[in-house]
Amino acid sequence: MMALLLFGLFLLLIAFGVPIAFSLSISSLVYLLVAGVPLTVIPQTMFAGLDSFVMLAIPAFILAGNLMNAGGITNRIIDFANAVVGHIRGGLGLTNVASSLGFAGISGTALSDTASIGSVMIPAMKKQGYGAGFSAAVTSISSTVGPMLPPSLPMIIIGTLASISIGDLFLAGAIPGVLLAIGFLIVTYAISVKRQYPKGEKQSFSVIGKTFFGAFWALLMVVIILWGILGGYFTPTEAAVVCVVYAFIVGKFVYKELKLKEIPGILLTTLRSTASILLLVGFANTFGWILVSEGVPLLIADGILSISENPIIVILLIIILLLLVGMFMETIAALVILFPVLLPVAQSVGMDPIHFGVVMVLSLMIGLSTPPVGVCLFVASTFAKVPITRTVKELLPFLAVAMVVLIIVAYVPSLSLFLPSLFE
């Protein structure tokens, strides 16, 4: 009964548009008051969820991404992508997807990708005659590639929750992330050909080489992260700090676009982003503690396994649950609450924790582009100045491809585990 009160109030608050973090905190507070549990549980559980050295990587990676953005990285990645695929039919749409693939190694979050790429690409696509809804759809869905590649904040959260190697998680998401990007490129091209969207001029090798060199220093950040972590030279947190120093040097002395007067604003933006993420993690940990105390994880596990113990069915049921949760809940909150709940169920049918982590992140990423709480969907539609309904209509073929990739990744573990196995 108390668990129903918790969930009912949480869903009601979401329905009224209350931010996820506050929906979690208010529903948890009401539960504790009604149940007569001391309110000291709130700071204790929040601290327990944040008391991890690895969590320090989050603000550092966010700061590194903000420094690179201020240093002109976004335009350079777009220029390189456009030089490679811009001459193909629907070139700007393909550039949009390819840019997200390159930008993924800088931001680590889908929302940052949508905002950075979308602010440049959506107006450019509309100007060249692409539909506003299509432009928003491509931007929104392609941004889901980002968290599959390092430095992925969701992967860091998972590694912290389950004491899994973050380096292995970074590697595990690479092949699924690339498959996702390839799928989106195919859909973008097919629609562009059908609608006769424009294509740009084919660039010479010298132009491609010049744009690659411009984007090289930004893309090198991913290599530094993986080389440092997998080589044992530094921890994920230390890697994040190294990336901050690297991003400052590249933006200031290589690209020469980062101004010292911009640093205070960048730090303030980083503080805001970090505070919102960590506050969300803290409240989600309190919410998760209540679920455990109410025995909800066991109920969910028993409920799934009571339907079937067949691994194929169990994995499918988990995916359906995650897709539904992703439609209503922010990714990080969902990870903190559900990963510890569902991991034992996944392991009971033979899923490796790393493989399950990839499947869970990919499932929740799809939710970022689906109503009613798809933040990437809303941001892209805002940039395109188009109703959400039009963007959703254009998203349908992309979502279908994302679902196909998700199913393949879920039932072919080697796609996630091949790269980590090379570094064992």
Side-chain angles (χ1 to χ4, degrees):
M1 182 59 121
M2 294 299 293
L4 290 177
L5 170 65
L6 181 72
F7 276 111
L9 182 56
F10 173 67
L11 295 175
L12 182 65
L13 290 169
I14 290 179
F16 278 100
V18 178
I20 296 294
F22 294 109
S23 297
L24 290 169
S25 61
I26 294 171
S27 56
S28 298
L29 176 61
V30 171
Y31 168 89
L32 295 175
L33 289 172
V34 174
V37 179
L39 297 185
T40 52
V41 165
I42 295 177
Q44 289 172 353
T45 53
M46 290 183 69
F47 179 78
L50 299 173
D51 185 24
S52 171
F53 181 67
V54 176
M55 293 293 284
L56 291 174
I58 293 178
F61 275 129
I62 292 174
L63 176 57
N66 288 338
L67 287 170
M68 293 296 277
N69 284 335
I73 173 59
T74 303
N75 288 333
R76 283 174 170 80
I77 288 179
I78 291 175
D79 288 343
F80 173 56
N82 193 44
V84 175
V85 299
H87 65 283
I88 304 173
R89 177 70 64 185
L92 274 187
L94 299 175
T95 298
N96 197 328
V97 178
S99 298
S100 294
L101 185 61
F103 191 80
I106 308 303
S107 65
T109 64
L111 184 58
S112 297
D113 190 336
T114 304
S116 299
I117 301 295
S119 62
V120 177
M121 290 303 303
I122 290 178
M125 290 178 69
K126 290 176 64 179
K127 186 176 180 179
Q128 285 204 11
Y130 292 80
F134 178 76
S135 303
V138 172
T139 303
S140 174
I141 197 67
S142 63
S143 65
T144 60
V145 175
M148 300 302 298
L149 306 173
S152 166
L153 296 190
M155 297 297 188
I156 294 174
I157 295 293
I158 287 177
T160 305
L161 290 171
S163 298
I164 301 173
S165 168
I166 293 176
D168 286 346
L169 285 168
F170 282 171
L171 286 174
I175 294 177
V178 171
L179 285 177
L180 202 61
I182 292 173
F184 295 155
L185 287 170
I186 293 173
V187 174
T188 301
Y189 175 73
I191 293 176
S192 298
V193 170
K194 181 179 179 180
R195 299 179 183 177
Q196 287 298 294
Y197 284 142
K199 59 181 179 179
E201 296 181 0
K202 189 171 184 178
Q203 301 296 329
S204 64
F205 285 111
S206 61
V207 172
I208 294 175
K210 183 178 179 180
T211 56
F212 170 75
F213 183 76
F216 170 78
W217 297 102
L219 301 176
L220 185 61
M221 182 184 286
V222 180
V223 178
I224 292 174
I225 293 169
L226 292 176
W227 171 78
I229 296 175
L230 296 175
Y233 298 103
F234 35 69
T235 66
T237 301
E238 292 166 345
V241 175
V242 169
C243 285
V244 170
V245 177
Y246 175 84
F248 176 79
I249 293 173
V250 170
K252 178 63 179 176
F253 301 106
V254 179
Y255 291 157
K256 298 180 180 180
E257 291 189 22
L258 179 63
K259 309 299 180 185
L260 292 179
K261 64 181 180 181
E262 296 177 321
I263 299 298
I266 293 173
L267 291 174
L268 183 60
T269 300
T270 301
L271 287 173
R272 288 172 177 167
S273 299
T274 301
S276 63
I277 290 174
L278 296 185
L279 191 66
L280 180 61
V281 171
F283 286 141
N285 201 65
T286 301
F287 193 90
W289 178 88
I290 295 174
L291 294 182
V292 172
S293 67
E294 286 287 325
V296 173
L298 290 176
L299 291 175
I300 293 176
D302 291 342
I304 292 176
L305 295 176
S306 67
I307 296 174
S308 174
E309 294 186 2
N310 185 311
I312 295 177
I313 303 299
V314 172
I315 293 173
L316 182 61
L317 291 173
I318 291 175
I319 289 174
I320 293 173
L321 174 61
L322 292 173
L323 289 172
L324 291 174
V325 170
M327 294 174 65
F328 294 93
M329 187 179 292
E330 201 277 341
T331 302
I332 293 178
L335 286 173
V336 174
I337 294 170
L338 290 178
F339 189 81
V341 173
L342 296 175
L343 179 59
V345 181
Q347 289 181 304
S348 71
V349 294
M351 287 190 79
D352 184 274
I354 294 175
H355 176 217
F356 175 64
V358 172
V359 171
M360 186 165 188
V361 171
L362 180 53
S363 300
L364 295 174
M365 284 304 103
I366 295 174
L368 293 177
S369 291
T370 56
V373 194
V375 289
C376 293
L377 170 65
F378 282 89
V379 171
S381 298
T382 300
F383 278 126
K385 299 178 181 178
V386 64
I388 298 292
T389 51
R390 283 182 57 189
T391 305
V392 171
K393 182 179 179 180
E394 295 282 2
L395 270 169
L396 294 179
F398 293 98
L399 290 174
V401 168
M403 290 297 300
V404 170
V405 172
L406 172 59
I407 295 298
I408 293 174
V409 170
Y411 290 107
V412 185
S414 58
L415 292 175
S416 302
L417 301 177
F418 172 70
L419 291 180
S421 68
L422 297 179
F423 290 88
E424 291 181 351

